């Protein structure tokens, strides 16, 4: 329990205990010394008196003494000395006693066996402290032999009551006690003052240290004691100053690292040896849809449940070297990630860990697949007419040129396929131009009716050949649009061309335009073969054709609808299709009013 007390109380308690022990021992030593001195002085005084008694009674005892002669003198001397005086003959018979007279004197016991008498016989002087049966109290006795020609003729004994000695000792003890208590109180007060000089600076240090631990590094210790405590305070202040500088540097570095991590498009995650996440940048949270999820301090396996990622991290920890891998994530969306890990060692006392960088290569893979498909499609689309052209040219070289009918037919076929190749190349160039970064549309106010009628003029012969009816409906509010004229004409041409190609004879094509809240909606409707529902989402992809053989036969390149989509979107509009197999299709796109 003592360990839980405050330092000030501990110092006070220790000082008090030491002082109490010191004062107790000092008091006992003083009392012992004074008591010894007092006893020595008393003994010397009694010894002087007993010498005098021996001189006084040596002559009376040398004759034939009788109590009646000795006792009166003893009583007189006893009154003067305030002591008990006893004169005893050599046989131990009491001849005189200042406390007894008459019959009482004669009835007193023989004193030859008293301790002080026995010692006096041996040593010349004898002493003892004992209870007196005669006067019923403790007495200090001193006896001395009385000699005549070196022969013991009796004993002179003096006794003093210990009651007076005890009283004096008690008085002395009281004086010493009060003196020591006064000293104790004074020293105790001084100890309190002294303990404050130690604990007050320490209390200040504790308060400052607590505030610093709470993050207030501006706090400083102000101690002006001129001793080790002031030196300790100065060292503490210097430590706090250096700590503040160090923390500012760390915070600066942390902010820089955080800024770098936040600006990275790659996802970054750092994991301790125990598998807990210690860092995850915003890019990773966005990639994996972890916004709002508390990932820090949690096992990564709870956040990213993927065995290939777990294997990569475990291998990195095991081999203490980086690993690379490409994995697919299926949740929340399908993504292709290139993972690159690195092992890092920490300073002593801190765990090591692994950093994993997530490169989202989903779009790159898509682009790569699109590029591969594009190359394959272009190669195929060019190879087919080229093969035919080469074949017919070889036939002409082999002699078909000599047949005028065959020559004309072959040249017509070569011309048809050459035009098809030219159309394909033109569409590819147009599509490349539209998809380029520098592609821009220059808008101006144009009549939508005039644009559509201008496009229809090129298809009148084809419409008549297939006996297709055509209907144009344009609301008054949708007459004028802000578009790039040449590019919108290209889009409308592609839609009309598509409708004519896939609408059987005696079919119907219509174009309607109506005004909506923020845009003009244009609908190109036909009664053609329609589009299967599972093909609708792919219809605007490059080189995508539902019936490749029929489309190639009709001269289609598979790029027209993709061009339409890019042109409409470049104007800020949207395009979609509604279709029912064998019932026809409806291509709908929007254009801005302004």
């Amino acid at each position: 329990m003592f360990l839980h007390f405050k330092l000030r109380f501990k110092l006070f308690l220790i000082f008090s205990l030491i002082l109490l022990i010191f004062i107790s021992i000092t008091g006992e030593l003083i009392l012992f010394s004074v008591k010894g001195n007092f006893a020595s002085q008393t003994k010397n005084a009694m010894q002087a008196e007993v010498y005098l008694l021996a001189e006084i009674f040596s002559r009376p005892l040398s004759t034939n003494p009788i109590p009646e002669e000795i006792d009166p003198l003893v009583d007189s001397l006893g009154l003067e000395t305030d002591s008990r005086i006893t004169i005893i003959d050599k046989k131990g018979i009491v001849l005189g006693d200042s406390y007894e007279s008459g019959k009482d004197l004669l009835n007193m016991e023989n004193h030859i066996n008293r301790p002080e008498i026995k010692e006096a016989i041996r040593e010349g002087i004898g002493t003892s402290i004992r209870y007196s049966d005669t006067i019923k109290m403790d007495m200090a006795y001193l006896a001395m032999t009385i000699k005549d020609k070196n022969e013991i003729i009796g004993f002179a004994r003096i006794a003093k009551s210990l009651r007076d000695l005890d009283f004096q000792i008690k008085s002395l003890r009281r004086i010493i006690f009060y003196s020591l208590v006064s000293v104790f109180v004074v020293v105790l007060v001084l100890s309190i003052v002294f303990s404050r000089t130690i604990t007050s600076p320490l209390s200040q240090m504790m308060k400052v240290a607590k505030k610093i631990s709470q993050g207030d590094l501006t706090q400083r210790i102000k101690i002006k004691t001129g001793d080790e405590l002031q030196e300790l305070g100065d060292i503490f202040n210097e430590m706090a100053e250096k700590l503040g500088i160090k923390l500012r540097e760390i915070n600066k570095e942390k902010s820089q690292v955080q800024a770098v991590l936040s600006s990275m498009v790659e996802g970054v995650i750092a994991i301790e040896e125990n598998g807990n996440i210690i860092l995850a940048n915003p890019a990773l949270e966005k990639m994996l849809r972890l916004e709002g999820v508390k990932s820090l301090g949690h096992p990564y396996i709870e956040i990213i449940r993927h065995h290939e990622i777990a294997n990569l991290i475990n291998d990195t920890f095991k081999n203490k070297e980086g690993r690379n891998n490409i994995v697919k994530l299926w949740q929340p969306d399908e993504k292709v990630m290139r993972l690159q890990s690195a092992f890092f060692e920490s300073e002593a006392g801190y765990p090591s860990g692994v950093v994993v960088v997530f490169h989202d290569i989903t779009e790159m893979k898509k682009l790569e697949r699109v590029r591969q498909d594009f190359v394959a499609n272009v190669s195929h689309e060019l190879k087919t007419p080229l093969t035919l052209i080469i074949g017919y040219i070889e036939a002409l070289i082999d002699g078909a040129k000599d047949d005028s009918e065959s020559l004309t037919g072959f040249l017509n076929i070569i011309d048809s396929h050459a035009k098809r190749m030219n159309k394909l190349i033109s569409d590819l160039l147009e599509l490349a131009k539209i998809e380029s970064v520098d592609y821009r549309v220059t808008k101006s106010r144009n009549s939508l009716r005039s644009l559509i009628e201008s496009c229809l003029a090129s298809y009148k012969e084809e419409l008549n050949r297939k006996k297709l009816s055509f209907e144009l409906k344009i609301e008054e509010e949708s007459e004028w649009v802000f578009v790039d004229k040449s590019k919108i004409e290209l889009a409308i041409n592609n839609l009309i061309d598509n409708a004519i190609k896939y609408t059987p004879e005696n079919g119907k094509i219509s174009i309607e335009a109506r005004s909506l809240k923020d845009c003009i909606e244009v609908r190109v409707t036909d009664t053609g073969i329609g589009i299967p529902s599972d093909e609708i989402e792919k219809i605007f992809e490059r080189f995508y054709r539902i019936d490749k053989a029929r489309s190639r036969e009709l001269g289609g390149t598979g790029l027209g609808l993709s061009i339409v989509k890019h042109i409409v979107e470049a104007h800020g509009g949207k395009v979609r299709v509604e279709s029912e197999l064998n019932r026809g299709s409806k291509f709908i796109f929007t254009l801005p009013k302004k």
Side-chain angles (χ1 to χ4, degrees), residues 42 46 49 53 74-85 98-99 135 137 139-140 157-165 168:
T42 302
M46 290 174 69
E49 290 179 4
L53 289 173
V74 170
D75 291 341
S76 174
L77 291 172
L79 290 174
E80 291 179 6
T81 60
D82 194 24
S83 301
R84 180 185 180 187
I85 300 173
S98 59
Y99 276 28
I135 60 176
M137 67 176 64
M139 301 289 287
R157 188 185 71 173
I158 188 168
K160 287 186 177 292
S161 172
L162 292 180
R163 184 180 299 168
D164 295 337
L165 180 61
Q168 291 177 3

Short mmCIF file of all heavy atoms in Angstrom, two decimals, residues 42 46 49 53 74-85 98-99 135 137 139-140 157-165 168:
data_model
loop_
_atom_site.label_atom_id
_atom_site.label_comp_id
_atom_site.label_asym_id
_atom_site.label_seq_id
_atom_site.Cartn_x
_atom_site.Cartn_y
_atom_site.Cartn_z
N THR A 42 24.88 10.50 43.68
CA THR A 42 24.24 10.08 44.93
C THR A 42 25.15 9.12 45.72
O THR A 42 25.29 9.21 46.96
CB THR A 42 22.90 9.40 44.62
OG1 THR A 42 22.07 10.31 43.90
CG2 THR A 42 22.20 8.98 45.90
N MET A 46 26.67 9.63 49.37
CA MET A 46 26.45 8.65 50.45
C MET A 46 27.77 8.10 50.96
O MET A 46 27.94 7.88 52.18
CB MET A 46 25.58 7.50 49.90
CG MET A 46 24.14 7.90 49.61
SD MET A 46 23.21 6.58 48.81
CE MET A 46 23.11 5.41 50.15
N GLU A 49 29.28 10.60 53.24
CA GLU A 49 28.56 10.62 54.52
C GLU A 49 28.91 9.39 55.38
O GLU A 49 29.08 9.48 56.61
CB GLU A 49 27.05 10.67 54.26
CG GLU A 49 26.59 12.01 53.69
CD GLU A 49 25.09 12.01 53.40
OE1 GLU A 49 24.41 11.00 53.71
OE2 GLU A 49 24.58 13.01 52.84
N LEU A 53 30.40 8.99 59.12
CA LEU A 53 29.76 8.21 60.18
C LEU A 53 30.75 7.22 60.81
O LEU A 53 30.74 7.00 62.04
CB LEU A 53 28.56 7.44 59.60
CG LEU A 53 27.34 8.28 59.21
CD1 LEU A 53 26.31 7.42 58.51
CD2 LEU A 53 26.72 8.93 60.48
N VAL A 74 22.44 8.69 66.48
CA VAL A 74 22.05 8.27 65.12
C VAL A 74 20.80 9.01 64.68
O VAL A 74 20.68 9.47 63.54
CB VAL A 74 21.84 6.75 65.09
CG1 VAL A 74 21.19 6.33 63.78
CG2 VAL A 74 23.17 6.02 65.27
N ASP A 75 19.80 9.12 65.60
CA ASP A 75 18.55 9.83 65.25
C ASP A 75 18.82 11.28 64.90
O ASP A 75 18.23 11.82 63.95
CB ASP A 75 17.58 9.75 66.44
CG ASP A 75 17.06 8.33 66.67
OD1 ASP A 75 17.16 7.52 65.70
OD2 ASP A 75 16.55 8.05 67.75
N SER A 76 19.72 11.89 65.64
CA SER A 76 20.04 13.29 65.40
C SER A 76 20.69 13.46 64.03
O SER A 76 20.34 14.36 63.25
CB SER A 76 20.95 13.82 66.51
OG SER A 76 21.36 15.14 66.22
N LEU A 77 21.65 12.60 63.72
CA LEU A 77 22.34 12.69 62.41
C LEU A 77 21.39 12.36 61.26
O LEU A 77 21.49 12.93 60.17
CB LEU A 77 23.54 11.72 62.40
CG LEU A 77 24.71 12.12 63.34
CD1 LEU A 77 25.73 10.99 63.38
CD2 LEU A 77 25.35 13.42 62.89
N GLY A 78 20.46 11.45 61.51
CA GLY A 78 19.51 11.10 60.45
C GLY A 78 18.63 12.26 60.06
O GLY A 78 18.29 12.47 58.88
N LEU A 79 18.22 13.05 61.08
CA LEU A 79 17.39 14.22 60.78
C LEU A 79 18.16 15.26 59.98
O LEU A 79 17.61 15.91 59.08
CB LEU A 79 16.88 14.82 62.10
CG LEU A 79 15.82 14.00 62.86
CD1 LEU A 79 15.53 14.64 64.21
CD2 LEU A 79 14.54 13.88 62.04
N GLU A 80 19.43 15.42 60.32
CA GLU A 80 20.23 16.44 59.64
C GLU A 80 20.55 16.04 58.17
O GLU A 80 20.61 16.89 57.30
CB GLU A 80 21.54 16.66 60.41
CG GLU A 80 21.32 17.33 61.77
CD GLU A 80 22.63 17.53 62.53
OE1 GLU A 80 23.70 17.24 61.91
OE2 GLU A 80 22.60 17.99 63.67
N THR A 81 20.76 14.77 57.95
CA THR A 81 21.16 14.32 56.59
C THR A 81 19.98 13.88 55.73
O THR A 81 20.13 13.59 54.55
CB THR A 81 22.15 13.15 56.69
OG1 THR A 81 21.51 12.08 57.39
CG2 THR A 81 23.41 13.57 57.41
N ASP A 82 18.76 13.82 56.35
CA ASP A 82 17.58 13.34 55.62
C ASP A 82 17.84 11.97 55.02
O ASP A 82 17.46 11.66 53.90
CB ASP A 82 17.18 14.33 54.54
CG ASP A 82 15.78 14.03 54.01
OD1 ASP A 82 14.98 13.41 54.75
OD2 ASP A 82 15.48 14.39 52.82
N SER A 83 18.53 11.14 55.80
CA SER A 83 18.87 9.79 55.37
C SER A 83 18.60 8.84 56.51
O SER A 83 18.46 9.24 57.67
CB SER A 83 20.35 9.70 54.97
OG SER A 83 20.64 10.60 53.92
N ARG A 84 18.50 7.59 56.17
CA ARG A 84 18.38 6.57 57.22
C ARG A 84 19.80 6.11 57.58
O ARG A 84 20.55 5.65 56.71
CB ARG A 84 17.55 5.39 56.72
CG ARG A 84 17.42 4.32 57.81
CD ARG A 84 16.70 3.10 57.27
NE ARG A 84 16.58 2.06 58.33
CZ ARG A 84 16.12 0.84 58.11
NH1 ARG A 84 15.71 0.49 56.87
NH2 ARG A 84 16.05 -0.04 59.11
N ILE A 85 20.13 6.23 58.84
CA ILE A 85 21.47 5.86 59.32
C ILE A 85 21.31 4.69 60.28
O ILE A 85 20.45 4.69 61.14
CB ILE A 85 22.17 7.03 60.01
CG1 ILE A 85 22.33 8.21 59.02
CG2 ILE A 85 23.52 6.61 60.60
CD1 ILE A 85 22.86 9.47 59.66
N SER A 98 18.12 5.47 62.67
CA SER A 98 17.42 6.76 62.70
C SER A 98 15.92 6.59 62.47
O SER A 98 15.15 7.53 62.69
CB SER A 98 18.01 7.71 61.64
OG SER A 98 17.89 7.13 60.36
N TYR A 99 15.46 5.41 62.00
CA TYR A 99 14.04 5.19 61.77
C TYR A 99 13.38 4.37 62.88
O TYR A 99 12.16 4.28 62.92
CB TYR A 99 13.85 4.43 60.44
CG TYR A 99 13.84 5.35 59.21
CD1 TYR A 99 14.54 6.55 59.23
CD2 TYR A 99 13.13 5.01 58.08
CE1 TYR A 99 14.54 7.36 58.13
CE2 TYR A 99 13.12 5.83 56.97
CZ TYR A 99 13.84 7.01 56.98
OH TYR A 99 13.84 7.80 55.90
N ILE A 135 10.90 -0.18 56.64
CA ILE A 135 10.15 1.05 56.30
C ILE A 135 9.25 0.87 55.08
O ILE A 135 8.62 1.80 54.63
CB ILE A 135 11.12 2.22 56.09
CG1 ILE A 135 12.09 1.91 54.94
CG2 ILE A 135 11.90 2.52 57.36
CD1 ILE A 135 13.00 3.08 54.62
N MET A 137 9.68 0.25 51.68
CA MET A 137 9.93 0.94 50.42
C MET A 137 11.29 0.53 49.89
O MET A 137 12.12 -0.04 50.62
CB MET A 137 9.85 2.46 50.60
CG MET A 137 10.95 3.06 51.45
SD MET A 137 10.88 4.87 51.52
CE MET A 137 9.32 5.10 52.34
N MET A 139 15.01 1.04 48.84
CA MET A 139 16.06 1.89 49.41
C MET A 139 17.39 1.56 48.73
O MET A 139 17.63 0.43 48.29
CB MET A 139 16.22 1.66 50.91
CG MET A 139 14.97 1.93 51.72
SD MET A 139 14.56 3.68 51.83
CE MET A 139 15.85 4.22 52.96
N ALA A 140 18.27 2.56 48.68
CA ALA A 140 19.65 2.38 48.22
C ALA A 140 20.54 2.38 49.47
O ALA A 140 20.52 3.34 50.24
CB ALA A 140 20.04 3.50 47.26
N ARG A 157 26.11 2.32 58.27
CA ARG A 157 25.32 2.16 57.02
C ARG A 157 24.40 3.36 56.85
O ARG A 157 23.78 3.81 57.84
CB ARG A 157 24.49 0.89 57.11
CG ARG A 157 23.80 0.56 55.79
CD ARG A 157 22.90 -0.65 55.94
NE ARG A 157 21.71 -0.35 56.74
CZ ARG A 157 20.68 -1.19 56.92
NH1 ARG A 157 20.71 -2.40 56.39
NH2 ARG A 157 19.65 -0.84 57.66
N ILE A 158 24.34 3.82 55.59
CA ILE A 158 23.45 4.93 55.27
C ILE A 158 22.52 4.47 54.13
O ILE A 158 22.94 3.72 53.25
CB ILE A 158 24.24 6.19 54.87
CG1 ILE A 158 23.28 7.40 54.74
CG2 ILE A 158 25.03 5.99 53.60
CD1 ILE A 158 24.01 8.72 54.64
N ALA A 159 21.29 4.89 54.16
CA ALA A 159 20.31 4.48 53.14
C ALA A 159 19.47 5.68 52.72
O ALA A 159 19.13 6.51 53.57
CB ALA A 159 19.42 3.37 53.68
N LYS A 160 19.18 5.71 51.45
CA LYS A 160 18.34 6.79 50.93
C LYS A 160 17.18 6.17 50.15
O LYS A 160 17.32 5.16 49.47
CB LYS A 160 19.13 7.71 50.02
CG LYS A 160 20.11 8.61 50.78
CD LYS A 160 20.74 9.61 49.84
CE LYS A 160 21.68 10.56 50.60
NZ LYS A 160 20.97 11.48 51.51
N SER A 161 16.04 6.79 50.28
CA SER A 161 14.84 6.30 49.60
C SER A 161 14.97 6.52 48.07
O SER A 161 15.41 7.58 47.63
CB SER A 161 13.60 7.02 50.12
OG SER A 161 12.49 6.67 49.34
N LEU A 162 14.57 5.50 47.31
CA LEU A 162 14.57 5.62 45.83
C LEU A 162 13.37 6.40 45.31
O LEU A 162 13.28 6.70 44.12
CB LEU A 162 14.59 4.23 45.19
CG LEU A 162 15.89 3.43 45.39
CD1 LEU A 162 15.78 2.08 44.71
CD2 LEU A 162 17.08 4.19 44.85
N ARG A 163 12.44 6.71 46.21
CA ARG A 163 11.27 7.46 45.79
C ARG A 163 11.67 8.82 45.27
O ARG A 163 11.19 9.29 44.23
CB ARG A 163 10.30 7.58 46.96
CG ARG A 163 8.98 8.28 46.59
CD ARG A 163 8.08 8.37 47.81
NE ARG A 163 7.76 7.05 48.30
CZ ARG A 163 7.18 6.82 49.50
NH1 ARG A 163 6.90 7.84 50.29
NH2 ARG A 163 6.91 5.60 49.89
N ASP A 164 12.60 9.46 45.98
CA ASP A 164 13.06 10.78 45.54
C ASP A 164 13.82 10.67 44.21
O ASP A 164 13.67 11.51 43.31
CB ASP A 164 13.97 11.39 46.60
CG ASP A 164 13.21 11.67 47.90
OD1 ASP A 164 11.96 11.81 47.81
OD2 ASP A 164 13.84 11.73 48.96
N LEU A 165 14.63 9.58 44.12
CA LEU A 165 15.37 9.38 42.89
C LEU A 165 14.43 9.14 41.70
O LEU A 165 14.61 9.72 40.62
CB LEU A 165 16.33 8.19 43.05
CG LEU A 165 17.19 7.85 41.83
CD1 LEU A 165 18.09 9.01 41.46
CD2 LEU A 165 17.99 6.58 42.09
N GLN A 168 12.81 12.41 40.71
CA GLN A 168 13.72 13.26 39.95
C GLN A 168 13.91 12.73 38.52
O GLN A 168 13.97 13.50 37.56
CB GLN A 168 15.07 13.35 40.67
CG GLN A 168 14.97 14.13 41.99
CD GLN A 168 16.31 14.15 42.73
OE1 GLN A 168 17.31 13.63 42.23
NE2 GLN A 168 16.33 14.74 43.92
#
